[in-house]
Amino acid sequence: MFQNLSERLEGALKVIKGKHKITEINVAEAVKDVRKALVEADVNYKIAKEITERIKEKALGQKILIAVEPYQLMIKIVEDELAQLMGGQKADLMLTGSPAVVLMAGLQGSGKTTFSAKLANQIKRQGRQVLLVACDVYRPAAIEQLKTLALQIGVDVYSEPENNNPVAIAQNAIQYAKANHKNVVIVDTAGRLAVDEEMMNEIEKIKKAINPCEILFVVDSMTGQDAVNTAKAFNERLDFTGVVLTKLDGDTRGGAALSIRAVVEKPIKFIGTSEKIDGIDVFHPDRMARRILN
Ligand code: GDP
């Protein structure tokens, strides 16, 4: 995970590594290379510039030039700033309402269906009754995929193969959940290959009809700057409550993880770390920052 970024950051800080006496020029050079590393990891230039200016200010403010171990101090400052950029503290899933309704949104292939099942499994393990809802009326294979995953984890799926109105399916699913004592309903929706008006209208209508306590935007971390742009488009229409970054097990450059929070001002709540059902983790900005720098 983020191996490339880790290596580049390590390279950027080489100029002060092992030194006991450094100059302002060394600091400026290191900071410039940190900025380059971030931009190369697909972090938007403005964000990379802002964060590196803060790093420089902090380093000089904390008297890095006369610190006993300037390198260690710099690592700590960069780590803290990266954690801050990713939201600082972890953000919990807020399951309220009876049933609590979680709406999943995102492009096709982002990992929505897989994540819906992963989350259902995790919530089930906490002893709650979960219902998965298949609202993709365009791809029958998507319903089958959800059913297959649900079978693995022993969770019920609500679907209406004959109904082509996803809003009605979602509403009926909530009624079904109430009648069958389900505590949490996870609604998997249809995705398209790119953001389009029809998809946005549809998911907006579903949101209005079922009033979810959480709207999770699922995005493939491998898609870099596109991930951030897609997040922006979805957030403008849906005002989602959290982000799920999938495929962090792949060779991702890290830009999405680092920039999304700053661009859409919504927390990353979960990450997807494999195709398997247990490949789900709560996102901890501080742990992630530490991982990037170690
Ligand atoms: P959807 O179209 O958004 O519902 O996406 P899917 O859930 O069908 O996922 C698309 C592909 O990505 C599938 O092959 C999944 O197995 C894979 N996938 C989903 N999440 C992850 C993840 O965290 N890591 C990896 N490596 N693959 C994932």
Side-chain angles (χ1 to χ4, degrees):
M1 202 188 285
F2 303 145
Q3 199 188 341
N4 200 296
L5 175 61
S6 298
E7 281 167 13
R8 283 183 192 282
L9 286 174
E10 201 185 334
L13 300 177
K14 227 182 209 149
V15 61
I16 55 173
K17 195 171 182 177
K19 288 196 179 144
H20 290 296
K21 191 101 196 78
I22 60 167
T23 65
E24 202 161 323
I25 294 174
N26 295 146
V27 175
E29 197 180 326
V31 164
K32 198 176 110 219
D33 285 349
V34 167
R35 182 182 307 170
K36 232 164 100 188
L38 293 175
V39 171
E40 272 159 10
D42 257 346
V43 174
N44 142 321
Y45 183 76
K46 192 169 154 268
I47 294 175
K49 190 161 183 275
E50 282 168 8
I51 175 178
T52 43
E53 270 164 13
R54 273 200 305 276
I55 290 170
K56 190 171 171 187
E57 224 170 84
K58 255 190 172 175
L60 296 174
Q62 291 182 26
K63 307 212 179 339
I64 195 167
L65 302 185
I66 52 166
V68 183
E69 294 202 61
Y71 178 70
Q72 291 306 332
L73 180 60
M74 191 63 156
I75 289 272
K76 181 79 184 83
I77 292 170
V78 175
E79 193 182 298
D80 286 351
E81 284 300 324
L82 289 184
Q84 227 33 61
L85 187 63
M86 293 186 284
Q89 295 299 313
K90 87 173 162 74
D92 292 326
L93 192 69
M94 305 298 276
L95 294 178
T96 55
S98 137
V101 179
V102 181
L103 178 63
M104 310 300 302
L107 295 181
Q108 190 178 314
S110 59
K112 264 187 322 304
T113 303
T114 308
F115 183 78
S116 299
K118 288 175 178 175
L119 184 63
N121 189 41
Q122 205 178 60
I123 294 173
K124 184 192 170 202
R125 283 189 180 157
Q126 295 163 357
R128 285 190 261 199
Q129 297 291 321
V130 190
L131 180 69
L132 279 162
V133 183
C135 262
D136 191 337
V137 295
Y138 311 100
R139 290 191 314 138
I143 303 179
E144 286 315 309
Q145 185 192 353
L146 192 65
K147 281 187 177 166
T148 307
L149 291 166
L151 198 62
Q152 268 182 45
I153 56 173
V155 165
D156 288 346
V157 175
Y158 184 90
S159 68
E160 295 184 32
E162 305 301 315
N163 192 344
N164 62 4
N165 178 354
V167 178
I169 297 173
Q171 282 173 318
N172 294 343
I174 309 288
Q175 291 314 315
Y176 175 90
K178 283 183 180 159
N180 290 276
H181 312 290
K182 304 289 184 190
N183 316 118
V184 182
V185 180
I186 300 173
V187 182
D188 185 21
T189 58
R192 306 284 158 83
L193 292 173
V195 174
D196 74 47
E197 193 53 28
E198 202 187 326
M199 170 177 72
M200 286 300 185
N201 280 336
E202 180 183 299
I203 195 157
E204 218 172 19
K205 278 189 204 150
I206 296 177
K207 175 189 169 182
K208 276 202 191 110
I210 61 175
N211 193 25
C213 58
E214 285 274 5
I215 303 169
L216 297 179
F217 168 69
V218 181
V219 67
D220 179 345
S221 63
M222 306 285 281
T223 57
Q225 297 254 2
D226 275 350
V228 178
N229 294 334
T230 311
K232 233 162 127 180
F234 272 81
N235 194 43
E236 275 160 16
R237 293 293 290 267
L238 284 181
D239 190 19
F240 55 67
T241 56
V243 177
V244 177
L245 262 186
T246 61
K247 310 185 194 181
L248 274 181
D249 48 313
D251 188 20
T252 168
R253 282 192 281 184
L258 290 168
S259 326
I260 272 192
R261 168 71 198 224
V263 174
V264 297
E265 295 179 349
K266 296 289 168 65
I268 300 172
K269 295 200 169 182
F270 293 97
I271 55 175
T273 55
S274 89
E275 285 183 283
K276 302 208 181 82
I277 207 79
D278 57 358
I280 168 175
D281 269 324
V282 168
F283 183 73
H284 292 269
D286 49 348
R287 287 186 204 166
M288 188 58 81
R290 215 171 305 139
R291 199 163 170 172
I292 290 172
L293 282 164
N294 283 307

